[in-house]
Amino acid sequence: MRRLFIAGNWKLNKNINEAERFASELKSALIDINTVDIAVAPTVLALPTVCKKLQHTNIEVSAQNIHSHASGAFTGEIAAEMIRAAGATYTIIGHSERRAIFGEKDEFINQKVHAAFRSGLLPILCVGETLEQREAGHASSIVITQLKKGLNGLSPDQLSCVTIAYEPVWAIGTGKTASPEQAQDMHAQIRSWLYASFPAFVGDQLRIQYGGSVKPHNAHALLSKPDIDGALIGGASLKVEAFVSIIETAASL
Ligand code: PEP
């Protein structure tokens, strides 16, 4: 019912030329994949070039971040409307690196989610607990609180178009993956909360990606779980072979 959605977050990697070359290679390697949704998130500098390179292909482009305002005195920021005009389809919002390093709070993240919809971008909202929070038994309450605040004020139609990326902070870039059972368990709790809080079509349609050291060797076990609807991938999305292998695994399911 929900198509798997695999997105690569390039973070602060690949200059314009490298990004363009990488996009060309992906385009050729993924030309026959038509059963999985795919996106890549280059730096904002490379985004227009990558959008042009991937126009009319099966690979969409995502921003890694947006600002909540459309214009004004916000030095160094980029508006959702500008990202949309460059040709992107999605934007990541509330990545744990933005929360931890740049101090982004749930209220600001919620404003960005609204800004994404205002501009026509689809948000990929990242949530996840730290190791300390998990060990204290607070993982579910942290994640559900991030979701309640991050998604506040959206209509059911908008909610059904959101992608939630569950990314346990302790599994990002560390090589430690949540086991498929741990990930499925949290995804099922998120899904139950969606069914309990909104009309049923939201729970049916909203996709929940898993993120945190997804690699070719663990992709099959994770993506086979019923409530894992895709993956948000950092490190493994920087190598054509690894990223393509994960997408081929998704397409085989
Ligand atoms: C991420 O940055 O969203 C991520 C999941 O990174 P990695 O795959 O490298 O853990």
Side-chain angles (χ1 to χ4, degrees), residues 140-191:
S140 319
S141 63
I142 293 286
V143 165
I144 298 298
T145 301
Q146 287 173 340
L147 287 173
K148 280 184 185 161
K149 292 185 174 174
L151 299 173
N152 186 34
L154 294 183
S155 70
D157 282 341
Q158 288 174 322
L159 284 164
S160 67
C161 301
V162 168
T163 299
I164 293 170
Y166 168 59
E167 301 204 306
V169 177
W170 47 272
I172 296 179
T174 59
K176 281 187 202 154
T177 320
S179 69
E181 292 69 32
Q182 280 174 318
Q184 164 60 25
D185 180 58
M186 182 62 81
H187 284 227
Q189 292 186 56
I190 295 172
R191 183 95 52 212

Side-chain angles (χ1 to χ4, degrees), residues 5-22:
F5 177 22
I6 308 293
N9 174 13
W10 296 354
K11 309 192 185 187
L12 186 49
N13 293 290
K14 300 190 189 298
N15 66 26
I16 298 176
N17 294 336
E18 291 163 344
E20 186 173 28
R21 217 174 311 123
F22 193 82

Side-chain angles (χ1 to χ4, degrees), residues 7-11 92 95-97 126 165-177 210-215 231-238 246:
N9 174 13
W10 296 354
K11 309 192 185 187
I92 297 169
H95 191 279
S96 63
E97 288 153 14
C126 300
Y166 168 59
E167 301 204 306
V169 177
W170 47 272
I172 296 179
T174 59
K176 281 187 202 154
T177 320
Y210 170 76
S213 299
V214 177
K215 309 284 178 202
L232 181 56
I233 301 166
S237 74
L238 296 171
I246 295 169

Side-chain angles (χ1 to χ4, degrees), residues 184-207:
Q184 164 60 25
D185 180 58
M186 182 62 81
H187 284 227
Q189 292 186 56
I190 295 172
R191 183 95 52 212
S192 301
W193 172 74
L194 291 170
Y195 279 123
S197 311
F198 306 107
F201 74 91
V202 175
D204 289 342
Q205 291 174 24
L206 186 154
R207 292 186 290 194

Side-chain angles (χ1 to χ4, degrees), residues 30-51:
L30 295 172
I31 202 152
D32 293 327
I33 305 274
N34 51 26
T35 53
V36 175
D37 288 342
I38 307 166
V40 291
T43 66
V44 76
L45 188 65
L47 185 137
T49 306
V50 172
C51 284

